[in-house]
Coordinates of all heavy atoms in Angstrom, one line a residue:
P1 N -139.8 20.9 181.4 CA -138.6 21.2 182.2 C -139.0 21.1 183.7 O -140.1 21.3 184.1 CB -138.2 22.6 181.9 CG -139.1 23.1 180.8 CD -140.1 22.1 180.6
R2 N -138.0 20.7 184.5 CA -138.2 20.5 186.0 C -138.4 21.9 186.6 O -137.9 22.9 186.1 CB -137.1 19.8 186.6 CG -136.8 18.5 186.0 CD -135.8 17.7 186.7 NE -136.4 16.5 187.1 CZ -136.2 15.9 188.2 NH1 -135.3 16.3 189.0 NH2 -136.8 14.8 188.5
G3 N -139.1 21.9 187.7 CA -139.3 23.2 188.4 C -140.3 24.1 187.8 O -140.4 25.3 188.2
G4 N -141.0 23.7 186.8 CA -142.0 24.5 186.1 C -143.4 24.4 186.6 O -144.3 24.5 185.8
G5 N -143.6 24.1 187.9 CA -144.9 23.9 188.4 C -145.9 25.1 188.2 O -147.0 24.8 187.9
Q6 N -145.4 26.3 188.3 CA -146.2 27.5 188.1 C -146.8 27.4 186.7 O -148.0 27.8 186.5 CB -145.5 28.8 188.3 CG -145.3 29.1 189.8 CD -146.6 29.5 190.4 OE1 -147.7 29.2 190.0 NE2 -146.5 30.1 191.6
R7 N -146.1 27.0 185.7 CA -146.6 27.0 184.3 C -147.7 26.0 184.2 O -148.5 26.1 183.3 CB -145.5 26.8 183.4 CG -144.6 28.0 183.2 CD -143.6 27.8 182.2 NE -142.6 26.8 182.8 CZ -141.5 26.4 182.3 NH1 -141.2 26.7 181.1 NH2 -140.7 25.6 182.9
H8 N -147.7 25.0 185.0 CA -148.7 23.9 184.9 C -149.9 24.1 185.9 O -150.7 23.3 186.1 CB -148.1 22.6 185.1 CG -147.0 22.3 184.1 ND1 -147.3 22.0 182.8 CD2 -145.7 22.2 184.2 CE1 -146.2 21.7 182.1 NE2 -145.2 21.9 183.0
G9 N -149.9 25.3 186.6 CA -150.9 25.6 187.5 C -150.9 24.8 188.9 O -151.9 24.7 189.6
V10 N -149.7 24.2 189.2 CA -149.6 23.5 190.4 C -149.2 24.4 191.6 O -148.2 25.2 191.4 CB -148.6 22.3 190.3 CG1 -148.3 21.6 191.6 CG2 -149.0 21.4 189.2
V11 N -149.9 24.3 192.7 CA -149.5 25.1 193.9 C -149.3 24.1 195.0 O -150.1 23.2 195.2 CB -150.7 26.0 194.3 CG1 -150.4 26.7 195.6 CG2 -150.9 27.1 193.2
V12 N -148.2 24.2 195.7 CA -147.8 23.3 196.8 C -147.9 24.1 198.1 O -147.3 25.1 198.2 CB -146.4 22.7 196.5 CG1 -146.0 21.8 197.7 CG2 -146.4 21.9 195.2
T13 N -148.6 23.5 199.0 CA -148.7 24.1 200.4 C -148.6 23.0 201.4 O -149.2 21.9 201.2 CB -150.1 24.8 200.5 OG1 -150.3 25.7 199.5 CG2 -150.2 25.5 201.9
A14 N -147.8 23.2 202.4 CA -147.6 22.2 203.5 C -148.5 22.7 204.7 O -148.4 23.9 205.0 CB -146.2 22.1 203.9
V15 N -149.2 21.7 205.3 CA -150.0 22.0 206.4 C -149.7 21.1 207.6 O -149.6 19.9 207.4 CB -151.5 21.9 206.1 CG1 -152.4 22.2 207.3 CG2 -151.9 22.7 204.9
H16 N -149.4 21.7 208.7 CA -149.0 20.9 209.9 C -150.2 21.1 210.9 O -150.3 22.2 211.4 CB -147.7 21.4 210.5 CG -147.2 20.4 211.6 ND1 -148.1 20.0 212.6 CD2 -146.0 19.9 211.8 CE1 -147.4 19.2 213.4 NE2 -146.1 19.1 212.9
P17 N -151.0 20.1 211.1 CA -152.1 20.3 212.0 C -151.7 20.2 213.5 O -152.6 20.5 214.4 CB -153.0 19.1 211.7 CG -152.1 18.0 211.2 CD -151.0 18.8 210.5
G18 N -150.5 19.9 213.8 CA -150.1 19.8 215.2 C -150.3 18.4 215.7 O -150.7 17.5 214.9
L19 N -150.0 18.1 217.0 CA -150.3 16.8 217.6 C -151.8 16.7 217.9 O -152.3 17.5 218.7 CB -149.4 16.6 218.8 CG -147.9 16.7 218.6 CD1 -147.2 16.7 219.9 CD2 -147.5 15.6 217.7
V20 N -152.4 15.7 217.4 CA -153.9 15.7 217.4 C -154.3 14.5 218.3 O -153.7 13.4 218.3 CB -154.5 15.5 216.0 CG1 -156.0 15.5 216.1 CG2 -154.0 16.6 215.1
R21 N -155.3 14.7 219.2 CA -155.8 13.8 220.1 C -156.6 12.7 219.3 O -157.8 12.8 219.1 CB -156.7 14.5 221.1 CG -156.7 13.9 222.5 CD -157.5 14.8 223.4 NE -157.0 16.1 223.4 CZ -157.8 17.2 223.8 NH1 -159.0 17.1 224.2 NH2 -157.2 18.4 223.8
T22 N -155.9 11.6 218.9 CA -156.5 10.5 218.2 C -156.0 9.2 218.8 O -155.1 9.2 219.6 CB -156.1 10.6 216.7 OG1 -154.7 10.4 216.6 CG2 -156.6 11.9 216.0
K23 N -156.6 8.1 218.3 CA -156.2 6.8 218.8 C -154.8 6.6 218.4 O -154.0 6.0 219.1 CB -157.1 5.7 218.2 CG -158.5 5.7 218.9 CD -159.3 4.5 218.3 CE -160.7 4.5 218.9 NZ -161.5 3.5 218.4
L24 N -154.4 7.1 217.2 CA -153.1 6.9 216.6 C -152.0 7.6 217.6 O -151.0 7.0 217.9 CB -153.0 7.4 215.2 CG -151.6 7.4 214.6 CD1 -151.2 5.9 214.4 CD2 -151.6 8.1 213.3
A25 N -152.3 8.8 217.9 CA -151.4 9.6 218.8 C -151.3 8.9 220.2 O -150.2 8.7 220.7 CB -151.9 11.0 219.0
F26 N -152.5 8.5 220.8 CA -152.4 7.8 222.1 C -151.7 6.5 222.0 O -150.9 6.2 222.9 CB -153.8 7.5 222.6 CG -154.4 8.7 223.4 CD1 -155.1 9.7 222.9 CD2 -154.1 8.7 224.8 CE1 -155.6 10.7 223.6 CE2 -154.6 9.7 225.6 CZ -155.3 10.8 225.0
G27 N -151.8 5.8 220.9 CA -151.1 4.5 220.7 C -149.6 4.8 220.6 O -148.8 4.0 221.3
F28 N -149.2 5.8 219.9 CA -147.8 6.1 219.8 C -147.2 6.6 221.1 O -146.2 6.0 221.6 CB -147.6 7.2 218.7 CG -146.2 7.7 218.6 CD1 -145.2 6.9 218.0 CD2 -145.8 8.8 219.2 CE1 -143.9 7.3 217.9 CE2 -144.4 9.3 219.1 CZ -143.5 8.5 218.4
F29 N -147.8 7.6 221.7 CA -147.3 8.1 223.0 C -147.3 7.2 224.1 O -146.6 7.3 225.1 CB -147.9 9.5 223.3 CG -147.5 10.6 222.3 CD1 -148.5 11.1 221.5 CD2 -146.2 11.0 222.3 CE1 -148.1 12.1 220.6 CE2 -145.8 12.0 221.4 CZ -146.8 12.6 220.6
S30 N -148.3 6.2 224.1 CA -148.4 5.2 225.2 C -147.2 4.3 225.3 O -146.9 3.7 226.3 CB -149.7 4.4 225.0 OG -150.8 5.2 225.2
Q31 N -146.4 4.3 224.2 CA -145.1 3.5 224.2 C -144.1 4.1 225.1 O -143.2 3.5 225.6 CB -144.5 3.4 222.8 CG -145.4 2.7 221.8 CD -144.7 2.9 220.4 OE1 -143.6 2.3 220.2 NE2 -145.4 3.5 219.5
Y32 N -144.2 5.4 225.3 CA -143.2 6.2 226.1 C -143.7 6.8 227.4 O -142.9 7.1 228.3 CB -142.7 7.3 225.2 CG -142.2 6.9 223.9 CD1 -143.0 7.0 222.7 CD2 -141.0 6.2 223.8 CE1 -142.6 6.5 221.5 CE2 -140.5 5.8 222.5 CZ -141.3 5.9 221.4 OH -140.9 5.5 220.2
V33 N -145.0 7.0 227.5 CA -145.6 7.6 228.7 C -146.8 6.7 229.1 O -147.6 6.3 228.3 CB -146.2 9.0 228.3 CG1 -146.8 9.6 229.5 CG2 -145.1 9.9 227.7
P34 N -146.8 6.4 230.4 CA -147.9 5.5 230.9 C -149.2 6.2 230.6 O -149.4 7.4 230.7 CB -147.7 5.5 232.5 CG -146.2 5.9 232.6 CD -145.9 6.7 231.5
R35 N -150.2 5.3 230.1 CA -151.5 5.8 229.6 C -152.2 6.7 230.6 O -152.7 7.8 230.2 CB -152.3 4.6 229.2 CG -153.6 5.1 228.6 CD -154.0 4.2 227.4 NE -155.1 4.7 226.8 CZ -155.2 5.1 225.5 NH1 -154.1 5.0 224.8 NH2 -156.3 5.5 225.0
P36 N -152.2 6.4 232.0 CA -152.9 7.3 232.9 C -152.3 8.7 232.9 O -153.0 9.7 233.0 CB -152.8 6.6 234.2 CG -152.5 5.2 233.9 CD -151.8 5.2 232.6
V37 N -150.9 8.8 232.8 CA -150.3 10.1 232.8 C -150.6 10.8 231.5 O -151.0 12.0 231.5 CB -148.7 9.9 232.9 CG1 -148.0 11.2 232.7 CG2 -148.4 9.3 234.2
L38 N -150.6 10.1 230.4 CA -150.9 10.7 229.1 C -152.3 11.2 229.1 O -152.5 12.4 228.6 CB -150.7 9.6 228.0 CG -151.0 10.1 226.6 CD1 -150.1 11.2 226.2 CD2 -150.8 8.9 225.6
E39 N -153.3 10.5 229.6 CA -154.7 10.9 229.6 C -154.8 12.2 230.5 O -155.6 13.0 230.2 CB -155.6 9.8 230.1 CG -155.7 8.7 229.0 CD -156.5 7.5 229.5 OE1 -156.8 7.4 230.7 OE2 -156.8 6.6 228.6
S40 N -154.0 12.3 231.5 CA -154.2 13.5 232.4 C -153.6 14.7 231.8 O -153.9 15.8 232.2 CB -153.5 13.2 233.8 OG -152.1 13.1 233.7
V41 N -152.6 14.6 230.9 CA -152.0 15.8 230.3 C -152.3 16.0 228.8 O -151.9 17.0 228.2 CB -150.4 15.8 230.4 CG1 -150.1 15.8 231.9 CG2 -149.8 14.6 229.7
A42 N -153.1 15.1 228.3 CA -153.5 15.2 226.8 C -154.1 16.5 226.4 O -153.8 17.0 225.4 CB -154.4 14.0 226.4
H43 N -154.9 17.0 227.3 CA -155.6 18.3 227.0 C -154.6 19.5 226.9 O -154.9 20.5 226.3 CB -156.7 18.6 228.0 CG -156.2 18.9 229.4 ND1 -155.7 17.9 230.2 CD2 -156.0 20.1 230.0 CE1 -155.3 18.5 231.3 NE2 -155.5 19.7 231.3
L44 N -153.4 19.3 227.5 CA -152.4 20.4 227.4 C -151.5 20.2 226.2 O -151.0 21.2 225.7 CB -151.5 20.3 228.7 CG -152.2 20.5 230.0 CD1 -151.3 20.3 231.2 CD2 -152.7 22.0 230.1
L45 N -151.3 18.9 225.8 CA -150.3 18.7 224.8 C -150.9 18.4 223.4 O -150.3 18.6 222.4 CB -149.5 17.4 225.1 CG -148.7 17.5 226.5 CD1 -148.1 16.2 226.8 CD2 -147.7 18.6 226.4
L46 N -152.1 17.8 223.3 CA -152.7 17.4 222.1 C -153.9 18.2 221.7 O -154.7 18.6 222.6 CB -153.1 15.9 222.2 CG -152.0 14.9 222.5 CD1 -152.6 13.5 222.7 CD2 -150.9 14.9 221.5
R47 N -154.0 18.5 220.4 CA -155.2 19.3 220.0 C -156.4 18.4 219.7 O -156.2 17.2 219.3 CB -154.8 20.0 218.7 CG -153.7 21.0 218.9 CD -153.3 21.6 217.6 NE -152.2 22.5 217.8 CZ -151.7 23.3 216.9 NH1 -152.1 23.3 215.7 NH2 -150.7 24.1 217.3
T48 N -157.5 18.9 219.7 CA -158.7 18.2 219.3 C -158.7 18.1 217.7 O -158.0 19.0 217.1 CB -160.0 18.8 219.7 OG1 -160.1 20.1 219.1 CG2 -160.1 19.0 221.2
P49 N -159.3 17.2 217.2 CA -159.4 17.2 215.7 C -160.0 18.5 215.1 O -159.5 18.9 214.1 CB -160.3 16.0 215.4 CG -160.1 15.0 216.5 CD -159.9 16.0 217.7
E50 N -160.9 19.1 215.9 CA -161.5 20.3 215.4 C -160.5 21.4 215.4 O -160.4 22.3 214.5 CB -162.7 20.7 216.3 CG -163.9 19.8 216.2 CD -163.8 18.5 217.0 OE1 -162.8 18.4 217.8 OE2 -164.6 17.6 216.8
E51 N -159.6 21.5 216.5 CA -158.6 22.5 216.5 C -157.6 22.3 215.4 O -157.1 23.2 214.8 CB -157.9 22.5 217.9 CG -158.7 22.9 219.0 CD -158.1 22.6 220.4 OE1 -157.4 21.6 220.5 OE2 -158.5 23.3 221.3
A52 N -157.2 21.0 215.1 CA -156.3 20.7 214.1 C -156.8 21.1 212.7 O -156.0 21.5 211.9 CB -155.9 19.2 214.1
A53 N -158.1 21.0 212.6 CA -158.7 21.3 211.3 C -158.6 22.8 210.9 O -158.6 23.2 209.8 CB -160.2 20.9 211.3
L54 N -158.4 23.7 212.0 CA -158.2 25.1 211.7 C -157.0 25.4 210.8 O -157.1 26.3 210.0 CB -158.1 25.9 213.0 CG -159.4 25.8 213.9 CD1 -159.2 26.5 215.2 CD2 -160.6 26.4 213.1
S55 N -155.9 24.7 210.9 CA -154.8 24.9 210.0 C -155.1 24.5 208.6 O -154.7 25.2 207.7 CB -153.6 24.1 210.5 OG -153.0 24.8 211.6
V56 N -155.9 23.4 208.4 CA -156.3 23.0 207.1 C -157.2 24.0 206.5 O -157.1 24.4 205.3 CB -157.0 21.6 207.1 CG1 -157.5 21.2 205.8 CG2 -156.0 20.6 207.7
L57 N -158.2 24.5 207.3 CA -159.1 25.5 206.8 C -158.4 26.8 206.5 O -158.7 27.5 205.5 CB -160.2 25.8 207.8 CG -161.2 24.6 208.0 CD1 -162.1 24.9 209.2 CD2 -161.9 24.3 206.7
A58 N -157.4 27.2 207.3 CA -156.6 28.4 207.0 C -155.9 28.3 205.7 O -155.8 29.2 204.9 CB -155.6 28.7 208.1
A59 N -155.3 27.1 205.4 CA -154.6 26.9 204.1 C -155.6 27.0 202.9 O -155.3 27.6 201.9 CB -154.0 25.5 204.1
L60 N -156.8 26.5 203.1 CA -157.8 26.5 202.1 C -158.3 28.0 201.8 O -158.8 28.3 200.7 CB -159.0 25.7 202.4 CG -158.8 24.2 202.4 CD1 -160.0 23.4 203.0 CD2 -158.5 23.7 201.0
D61 N -158.1 28.8 202.8 CA -158.6 30.2 202.7 C -157.6 31.1 202.0 O -157.9 32.3 201.7 CB -158.9 30.7 204.1 CG -159.8 32.0 204.0 OD1 -160.7 32.0 203.1 OD2 -159.6 32.9 204.9
L62 N -156.4 30.6 201.7 CA -155.3 31.4 201.1 C -155.6 31.6 199.6 O -156.1 30.7 199.0 CB -154.0 30.7 201.3 CG -153.5 30.6 202.7 CD1 -152.2 29.8 202.7 CD2 -153.2 31.9 203.4
S63 N -155.2 32.7 199.1 CA -155.2 32.9 197.6 C -154.1 32.0 197.0 O -153.2 31.5 197.7 CB -154.9 34.3 197.2 OG -153.6 34.6 197.5
R64 N -154.2 31.7 195.7 CA -153.2 30.9 195.0 C -151.8 31.5 195.3 O -150.8 30.8 195.6 CB -153.4 30.8 193.6 CG -154.6 29.9 193.2 CD -154.8 29.9 191.7 NE -153.7 29.2 191.0 CZ -153.5 27.9 190.8 NH1 -154.4 27.1 191.4 NH2 -152.5 27.4 190.2
A65 N -151.6 32.8 195.2 CA -150.4 33.4 195.4 C -149.8 33.2 196.8 O -148.7 33.0 197.0 CB -150.4 34.9 195.1
E66 N -150.7 33.4 197.8 CA -150.3 33.2 199.2 C -150.0 31.7 199.5 O -149.1 31.4 200.3 CB -151.5 33.6 200.1 CG -151.7 35.1 200.2 CD -152.9 35.5 200.9 OE1 -154.0 34.7 200.9 OE2 -152.9 36.5 201.7
A67 N -150.8 30.8 198.9 CA -150.6 29.4 199.2 C -149.3 28.8 198.6 O -148.8 27.8 199.1 CB -151.8 28.6 198.7
A68 N -148.9 29.3 197.5 CA -147.7 28.8 196.8 C -146.5 28.8 197.7 O -146.0 29.9 198.1 CB -147.5 29.6 195.5
G69 N -146.0 27.6 198.1 CA -144.8 27.5 198.9 C -145.0 27.8 200.3 O -144.1 27.9 201.1
A70 N -146.3 28.0 200.8 CA -146.5 28.3 202.2 C -146.5 27.1 203.1 O -146.6 25.9 202.6 CB -147.9 28.9 202.3
Y71 N -146.2 27.3 204.3 CA -146.2 26.3 205.4 C -147.3 26.9 206.4 O -147.1 27.9 207.0 CB -144.9 26.2 206.0 CG -144.8 25.3 207.2 CD1 -145.1 23.9 207.1 CD2 -144.4 25.8 208.4 CE1 -145.0 23.1 208.2 CE2 -144.3 24.9 209.5 CZ -144.7 23.6 209.4 OH -144.6 22.7 210.5
V72 N -148.3 26.2 206.6 CA -149.4 26.6 207.5 C -149.3 25.8 208.8 O -149.4 24.6 208.8 CB -150.8 26.5 206.8 CG1 -151.9 27.0 207.8 CG2 -150.8 27.3 205.5
V73 N -149.1 26.5 209.9 CA -149.0 25.8 211.2 C -149.7 26.7 212.2 O -149.7 28.0 212.1 CB -147.6 25.6 211.6 CG1 -146.8 26.8 211.7 CG2 -147.5 24.8 212.9
D74 N -150.5 26.2 213.1 CA -151.2 26.9 214.1 C -152.2 27.9 213.5 O -152.4 29.0 214.0 CB -150.3 27.7 215.1 CG -149.5 26.7 215.9 OD1 -150.0 25.6 216.3 OD2 -148.3 27.1 216.3
G75 N -152.7 27.5 212.3 CA -153.6 28.4 211.6 C -153.0 29.6 210.9 O -153.7 30.5 210.5
Q76 N -151.6 29.7 210.9 CA -150.9 30.8 210.4 C -150.1 30.4 209.2 O -149.4 29.4 209.2 CB -150.0 31.4 211.5 CG -150.6 31.8 212.8 CD -151.4 33.1 212.6 OE1 -151.0 34.0 211.9 NE2 -152.6 33.1 213.2
R77 N -150.0 31.3 208.2 CA -149.2 31.1 207.0 C -147.8 31.5 207.3 O -147.5 32.6 207.9 CB -149.7 31.9 205.9 CG -148.9 31.8 204.6 CD -149.4 32.8 203.6 NE -148.6 32.8 202.4 CZ -147.5 33.6 202.3 NH1 -147.2 34.4 203.2 NH2 -146.8 33.5 201.2
R78 N -146.8 30.7 207.0 CA -145.4 31.0 207.2 C -144.7 30.7 205.9 O -145.2 29.9 205.1 CB -144.8 30.1 208.3 CG -145.6 30.0 209.6 CD -145.1 31.1 210.5 NE -145.9 31.3 211.7 CZ -145.9 30.5 212.8 NH1 -145.1 29.5 212.9 NH2 -146.7 30.8 213.8
R79 N -143.6 31.3 205.7 CA -142.8 31.0 204.5 C -142.1 29.7 204.8 O -141.3 29.6 205.8 CB -141.8 32.1 204.2 CG -142.4 33.2 203.5 CD -141.3 34.2 203.0 NE -140.0 33.7 202.6 CZ -138.9 34.1 203.1 NH1 -138.8 35.2 203.9 NH2 -137.7 33.6 202.7
A80 N -142.3 28.7 204.0 CA -141.7 27.4 204.3 C -140.2 27.4 204.3 O -139.5 26.9 205.2 CB -142.1 26.4 203.2
D81 N -139.5 28.2 203.4 CA -138.1 28.3 203.3 C -137.5 28.9 204.6 O -136.5 28.5 205.2 CB -137.6 29.0 202.1 CG -138.2 30.4 201.9 OD1 -139.2 30.7 202.6 OD2 -137.6 31.1 201.1
A82 N -138.2 29.9 205.1 CA -137.7 30.6 206.4 C -137.8 29.6 207.6 O -137.0 29.5 208.4 CB -138.5 31.9 206.6
H83 N -138.9 28.9 207.6 CA -139.1 27.9 208.7 C -138.1 26.8 208.6 O -137.5 26.4 209.7 CB -140.5 27.3 208.6 CG -140.8 26.4 209.8 ND1 -141.2 26.9 211.0 CD2 -140.9 25.1 209.8 CE1 -141.4 25.9 211.8 NE2 -141.2 24.8 211.1
I84 N -137.8 26.3 207.5 CA -136.8 25.3 207.3 C -135.4 25.8 207.7 O -134.6 25.1 208.4 CB -136.7 24.8 205.8 CG1 -138.0 24.0 205.6 CG2 -135.5 23.9 205.6 CD1 -138.3 23.7 204.1
E85 N -135.1 27.0 207.3 CA -133.8 27.6 207.7 C -133.6 27.7 209.2 O -132.6 27.4 209.7 CB -133.6 28.9 207.0 CG -133.3 28.9 205.5 CD -133.3 30.2 204.8 OE1 -133.2 31.2 205.5 OE2 -133.4 30.2 203.6
R86 N -134.7 28.2 209.9 CA -134.6 28.3 211.3 C -134.5 26.9 212.0 O -133.7 26.8 212.9 CB -135.9 29.0 211.9 CG -135.9 30.5 211.8 CD -137.0 31.0 212.7 NE -138.3 30.6 212.3 CZ -139.1 31.0 211.3 NH1 -138.6 32.0 210.5 NH2 -140.3 30.5 211.1
S87 N -135.2 25.9 211.5 CA -135.0 24.6 212.0 C -133.6 24.0 211.9 O -133.1 23.4 212.8 CB -136.0 23.6 211.4 OG -137.3 24.0 211.7
L88 N -133.0 24.3 210.7 CA -131.7 23.8 210.5 C -130.7 24.5 211.4 O -129.7 23.9 211.8 CB -131.3 24.0 209.0 CG -132.1 23.1 208.0 CD1 -131.7 23.5 206.6 CD2 -131.8 21.6 208.3
R89 N -130.8 25.8 211.6 CA -129.9 26.5 212.5 C -130.0 26.0 213.9 O -129.0 25.9 214.6 CB -130.2 28.0 212.5 CG -129.6 28.7 211.3 CD -129.8 30.2 211.5 NE -131.2 30.5 211.5 CZ -131.8 31.3 210.6 NH1 -131.1 31.9 209.7 NH2 -133.0 31.6 210.7
R90 N -131.2 25.6 214.4 CA -131.3 25.1 215.7 C -130.6 23.7 215.9 O -130.3 23.3 217.0 CB -132.8 24.9 216.1 CG -133.4 26.2 216.4 CD -134.8 26.0 216.9 NE -135.6 27.0 216.2 CZ -136.9 26.8 215.8 NH1 -137.4 25.6 216.1 NH2 -137.6 27.7 215.2
G91 N -130.5 23.0 214.8 CA -129.8 21.7 214.8 C -130.7 20.6 215.1 O -130.8 19.6 215.5

């Protein structure tokens, strides 16, 4: 039956590492912001790969019960459904 993930031992967790200082990010944002400007503010807006990894590590540190249905952002566990509801209300 559908929706029976728990019976099969499947745990779903979403992890958002944030905006990460990578070639991909610079390539994307350079379409909208001149590269010299982007490079001067990148340390304020973009995380290092090491900083981004903290959210992934936080998710790995959760118990199965805590990880099930969790949304991990900024190294913090959040209830995914509550986060989605807030986002939808903001429009």
Side-chain angles (χ1 to χ4, degrees):
R2 303 185 123 214
Q6 282 289 17
R7 287 183 285 181
H8 299 288
V10 175
V11 173
V12 177
T13 305
V15 179
H16 190 311
L19 298 175
V20 184
R21 213 174 303 157
T22 61
K23 288 181 182 179
L24 178 65
F26 269 91
F28 175 77
F29 289 115
S30 292
Q31 298 175 62
Y32 306 100
V33 180
R35 187 141 183 120
V37 173
L38 181 59
E39 288 174 353
S40 68
V41 297
H43 67 284
L44 300 172
L45 303 175
L46 303 174
R47 296 175 183 186
T48 66
E50 293 80 10
E51 291 168 333
L54 294 176
S55 286
V56 176
L57 293 174
L60 290 171
D61 199 36
L62 297 174
S63 70
R64 285 181 66 82
E66 292 172 320
Y71 175 63
V72 180
V73 61
D74 295 328
Q76 302 287 319
R77 177 186 175 273
R78 311 267 169 83
R79 279 188 33 228
D81 55 345
H83 185 77
I84 291 167
E85 287 174 15
R86 276 195 305 279
S87 295
L88 291 174
R89 278 191 295 240
R90 283 186 228 145

